Amino acid sequence: GELNAGYEGAQKMSDEELARFKKIVEGLGSTDLELEAEDEVLINKLLGWPKDGVFPVLDVVRVLMTKPKIAGKWATKAMGAYSMAYAQEGGVTAEAMQKAQGNDIVLKVIMTANSAEGEAK
């Protein structure tokens, strides 16, 4: 609950999302942890939190990326999106690249951390 304090509207986690996030955090020690589509939607939402509150989310995502099943799924999703962007007739477009980048959780984490670090200075 404390993690969610101070947020309103679309940024605030619903009770269902808070329970889902708690389940993700509790499963971080498991080697068999897998994420459902709703978990990924929630993580993407949380990566959009203001910079002063995103660091705990980055920590969770960092641990999730050490899980082979999750890392493999995220890599496959990102590579598929980039492949589709470059394979379209006429070459890659800005819109296709933006869509591909939207499917790249690693890029989102890097950009979020970089942006948060820049504001913390």
Side-chain angles (χ1 to χ4, degrees), residues 42-113:
L42 176 59
I43 289 167
N44 281 318
K45 171 184 177 173
L46 299 180
L47 285 172
W49 269 6
K51 306 312 175 220
D52 61 343
V54 77
F55 284 111
V57 178
L58 291 172
D59 286 339
V60 170
V61 173
R62 178 184 53 82
V63 175
L64 288 171
M65 287 192 288
T66 68
K67 309 295 180 189
K69 289 180 184 177
I70 294 171
K73 182 178 179 180
W74 286 348
T76 299
K77 186 176 179 181
M79 290 307 298
Y82 284 115
S83 294
M84 292 302 294
Y86 282 100
Q88 66 184 357
E89 189 174 321
V92 67
T93 64
E95 295 82 19
M97 187 54 66
Q98 186 175 11
K99 183 177 179 183
Q101 290 169 345
N103 285 308
D104 189 341
I105 191 86
V106 175
L107 179 62
K108 285 182 187 178
V109 168
I110 292 167
M111 297 302 289
T112 300

